Amino acid sequence: MKIKINPLFWFVVGIGVFTGYFREVLMIFTIVFIHEMGHAVAAHWFKWRIHKIELLPFGGVAEVEDVGNRPFHEELIVILAGPLQHIWMMLLSYALVHFSFWTSTDHHLFIWHNIMILCFNLIPVLPLDGGRLVQLWCTYRFPYVQALTYSRWSSATVLAMMIVVSMIWFPYHLNLWVIITFLLLTNYLEWKQRYYRFMRFLMARQSTTYENQLQETISVRDSMLLREAMKQIKRGHSHMFKVFQLQSGKSLTIEEKEMLQLLFTKKKPHLPLSYFFSGRL
């Protein structure tokens, strides 16, 4: 029940059937399905909650519970589990080509579709696997909010280059423009939901255990707004906030859990840290 088929996929299927390429369409459906099941099986192995698996004309999207606090190695494996399926599928095709039911034409067509879907999914544009890998690297290297910003800009830049190339060399390729339209819409929604995603990340950290996480101290001035201070939090780290008061030169060390509690209980993220800690500095 969690496997959904995007209407755009049926659109491409309809074109294939209408033009007499049903066998080729069946190949693409099989490749895309196995690709997405690779993501799903890996996510299920790590006990991630899977919302749905949506099949698209160029691949698919496995929507899982993503609050940005899963271990890096888990997300890396889940992302790579999709592209890795193409390797064994192509090797299987090489083995089957010796049988009569799998002709050399079928083999070459199957290999071609695998390579095309694999390469397309590795383009660094969200929500493709390549874009997710870039975003994962950014969250490993930079604070969470900053990482999402960098990955969105990277995705938008590559997508703009794709549009320019398509306009020059493939101006009448209908399927390609349908896919680009989908990617544009997805990136717009990614940008629109940026604040909501950050808040989900912070809310999830309230119940996060900090075992085996890197320890980091964040130095901030007491004049900094609470919401700006929380933007310094990194994924995969546990934090201590060292709040400085410039006038007196005093400082105060606050645990991340306490900062999160202030954010969600006081509900005054627009106020400076001095408002919350003036009596303790």
Side-chain angles (χ1 to χ4, degrees):
M1 295 299 295
K2 292 184 177 181
I3 298 177
K4 309 293 182 182
I5 299 180
N6 189 280
L8 295 179
F9 190 94
W10 290 123
F11 176 76
V12 174
V13 169
I15 293 177
V17 173
F18 181 76
T19 54
Y21 292 96
F22 177 74
R23 189 177 180 87
E24 186 173 349
V25 168
L26 183 61
M27 280 187 185
I28 295 174
F29 178 88
T30 302
I31 294 169
V32 169
F33 180 76
I34 294 176
H35 177 109
E36 289 310 309
M37 287 305 297
H39 291 305
V41 170
H44 182 72
W45 176 266
F46 292 119
K47 296 181 173 59
W48 289 25
R49 182 180 300 174
I50 302 172
H51 297 303
K52 69 174 180 178
I53 300 169
E54 186 174 13
L55 301 182
L56 302 166
F58 52 86
V61 177
E63 291 189 7
V64 297
E65 185 179 18
D66 179 20
V67 291
N69 286 301
R70 291 284 185 174
F72 286 105
H73 74 276
E74 288 188 12
E75 186 168 348
L76 179 62
I77 291 173
V78 170
I79 294 173
L80 293 179
L84 287 176
Q85 304 310 308
H86 298 280
I87 298 176
W88 73 261
M89 281 193 284
M90 288 188 285
L91 291 176
L92 179 62
S93 182
Y94 277 101
L96 293 178
V97 77
H98 301 290
F99 295 88
S100 58
F101 65 87
W102 193 251
T103 66
S104 60
T105 302
D106 294 331
H107 168 70
H108 289 104
L109 199 58
F110 190 74
I111 295 295
W112 170 255
H113 287 313
N114 266 282
I115 293 175
M116 289 301 294
I117 294 175
L118 172 61
C119 292
F120 196 89
N121 269 277
L122 290 179
I123 295 176
V125 174
L126 295 169
L128 303 180
D129 295 332
R132 294 172 61 196
L133 285 172
V134 171
Q135 190 169 83
L136 180 63
W137 180 83
C138 288
T139 57
Y140 180 81
R141 180 67 178 81
F142 305 105
Y144 190 72
V145 171
Q146 190 176 352
L148 294 187
T149 301
Y150 287 161
S151 61
R152 283 196 305 269
W153 274 106
S154 172
S155 177
T157 300
V158 176
L159 185 53
M161 293 170 61
M162 286 177 59
I163 293 173
V164 172
V165 170
S166 300
M167 291 177 64
I168 297 174
W169 281 288
F170 310 103
Y172 306 112
H173 198 298
L174 180 58
N175 288 351
L176 179 59
W177 285 109
V178 170
I179 293 171
I180 289 177
T181 301
F182 170 80
L183 294 177
L184 281 170
L185 178 60
T186 303
N187 278 262
Y188 168 73
L189 293 176
E190 175 79 13
W191 172 81
K192 190 175 182 180
Q193 297 175 358
R194 61 194 186 281
Y195 298 118
Y196 171 69
R197 185 171 179 178
F198 176 52
M199 294 307 294
R200 282 196 309 162
F201 168 73
L202 294 179
M203 291 177 67
R205 291 189 69 85
Q206 290 183 298
S207 57
T208 298
T209 58
Y210 296 123
E211 297 178 2
N212 302 321
Q213 291 197 356
L214 297 174
Q215 305 288 324
E216 182 168 334
T217 300
I218 299 175
S219 299
V220 294
R221 297 180 180 179
D222 65 337
S223 59
M224 179 177 286
L225 304 183
L226 176 59
R227 64 187 177 194
E228 296 302 318
M230 302 309 290
K231 290 181 180 180
Q232 308 302 313
I233 290 179
K234 287 184 178 180
R235 176 180 175 177
H237 291 67
S238 62
H239 305 84
M240 299 292 290
F241 286 83
K242 195 168 186 178
V243 183
F244 287 92
Q245 188 179 63
L246 291 180
Q247 294 178 347
S248 63
K250 296 181 180 179
S251 64
L252 177 68
T253 302
I254 309 294
E255 291 186 359
E256 179 184 330
K257 292 285 188 182
E258 184 177 349
M259 296 286 284
L260 290 170
Q261 187 177 10
L262 287 174
L263 182 70
F264 292 110
T265 58
K266 298 298 183 180
K267 298 182 179 180
K268 296 180 179 179
H270 58 285
L271 293 179
L273 296 176
S274 58
Y275 173 85
F276 304 98
F277 304 119
S278 57
R280 298 164 61 178
L281 282 169

